[in-house]
Amino acid sequence: MRKKIVAGNWKMNNTLDEGLKLASEVVNMVKDERKGDVIVVLGTPFIHLSQVSKLVNSTKDVYVSAQDCSQHESGAYTGEVSVSMIQSTGAEFVILGHSERREYHGETSEQLAEKLDKVLSAGLTPIFCCGEPLDVREAGNQESFVCSQLTESLFHLTKEQMAQVVIAYEPIWAIGTGKTATSGQAQEMHKAIRKHLATKFGDAIATETSILYGGSCKPSNANELFTQPDIDGGLIGGASLNARDFMGIINAY
Ligand code: PEP
């Protein structure tokens, strides 16, 4: 059975102390209140990874994720953080290809393919983001746009590698806008993503791949989204900055 995952993406929010407070609130709530078998992930800025990992590793109820990594191993890349550095903090997931990184940092599909290789060879779990901008949605080309993103960055992987990848479908027009995709729109895209993965990796891998929805997900709409047959959880931005809201989404199954 594929895994259900609710992952928070704190983006560039929280000082170290604020982040530790939020993480411990989440850990305590998960310990006391989690109803289902949902894997909970906190996607923190790099500065929090080590200390939040220590905090969660004592419980193993919650996992920690970086929000990006370098495609390089080490060396003269000022400001970058390598996969081995991330691994040394105890983090076990890495978010890759978030639309904000593609847009503001010019990340290309080729770079993302290299980053995926690095993350997978370290034995960490990539959460690979894909999703279309509004003009593509309005033109009705969302499926071909997202399938191309998948082809370009994932289709060089082996089946064994693909089995380690988590996908997050995040329509750009729904991120941080308060405008959520309807459950029907999201389900349609998740189904198309799974079908596309099957063309390359086969039905078994496609069926087992966790595909998360991201874009203005909140406690009030999470259940309707998560109960769609091809939606396996969420990548949560704004609502992951409040422990109570995040817990409401974790318990939305
Ligand atoms: C995100 O950026 O990954 C995201 C889903 O943000 P929000 O939940 O705030 O729309």
Side-chain angles (χ1 to χ4, degrees):
M1 251 219 349
R2 58 184 178 248
K3 296 178 186 120
K4 297 175 189 165
I5 302 171
V6 172
N9 175 12
W10 292 1
K11 309 193 184 191
M12 196 176 72
N13 290 294
N14 291 320
T15 62
L16 184 56
D17 285 349
E18 289 164 352
L20 288 172
K21 181 168 173 284
L22 175 57
S24 60
E25 284 169 5
V26 172
V27 166
N28 288 334
M29 283 184 197
V30 167
K31 200 153 32 114
D32 295 343
E33 301 174 24
R34 177 168 50 183
K35 294 196 210 124
D37 52 354
V38 180
I39 294 172
V40 179
V41 180
L42 298 177
T44 80
F46 291 127
I47 64 146
H48 300 85
L49 291 178
S50 172
Q51 293 199 45
V52 173
S53 293
K54 285 201 183 82
L55 198 143
V56 305
N57 281 347
S58 55
T59 70
K60 265 292 166 211
D61 284 328
V62 178
Y63 296 83
V64 180
S65 178
Q67 297 173 12
D68 181 38
C69 67
S70 171
Q71 71 267 35
H72 303 291
E73 196 76 48
S74 65
Y77 300 102
T78 303
E80 295 289 291
V81 175
S82 72
V83 167
S84 55
M85 291 171 179
I86 292 169
Q87 193 173 31
S88 73
T89 68
E92 293 173 73
F93 288 74
V94 182
I95 297 169
L96 288 178
H98 191 282
S99 59
E100 288 153 14
R101 295 217 52 89
R102 292 180 192 253
E103 185 179 346
Y104 307 141
H105 300 273
E107 284 196 356
T108 63
S109 294
E110 294 70 32
Q111 279 173 327
L112 290 171
E114 290 176 40
K115 290 182 182 200
L116 268 160
D117 292 344
K118 285 274 180 306
V119 170
L120 289 167
S121 59
L124 303 184
T125 302
I127 301 178
F128 179 80
C129 304
C130 55
E132 79 286 357
L134 187 59
D135 58 328
V136 170
R137 165 68 60 169
E138 283 173 349
N141 295 330
Q142 61 274 9
E143 281 192 26
S144 59
F145 185 93
V146 168
C147 289
S148 297
Q149 289 180 321
L150 300 174
T151 304
E152 288 164 12
S153 297
L154 299 178
F155 274 27
H156 67 290
L157 299 178
T158 63
K159 283 187 181 185
E160 291 69 29
Q161 287 175 313
M162 186 60 216
Q164 308 309 315
V165 177
V166 173
I167 307 266
Y169 168 63
E170 301 204 299
I172 298 172
W173 46 272
I175 294 179
T177 58
K179 195 175 166 191
T180 320
T182 64
S183 52
Q185 285 172 322
Q187 165 56 25
E188 195 176 48
M189 283 303 294
H190 282 230
K191 192 173 169 192
I193 289 169
R194 212 179 288 291
K195 197 166 147 213
H196 189 59
L197 293 176
T199 63
K200 170 71 183 170
F201 300 103
D203 283 342
I205 300 282
T207 305
E208 285 302 305
T209 302
S210 296
I211 308 177
L212 317 183
Y213 168 79
S216 299
C217 188
K218 14 183 202 292
S220 58
N221 60 25
N223 178 263
E224 159 132 34
L225 288 159
F226 294 175
T227 48
Q228 299 301 311
D230 287 289
I231 301 185
D232 307 306
L235 180 57
I236 317 298
S240 72
L241 297 172
N242 176 291
R244 180 47 63 205
D245 287 348
F246 192 49
M247 195 62 217
I249 295 172
I250 293 164
N251 273 344
Y253 272 105

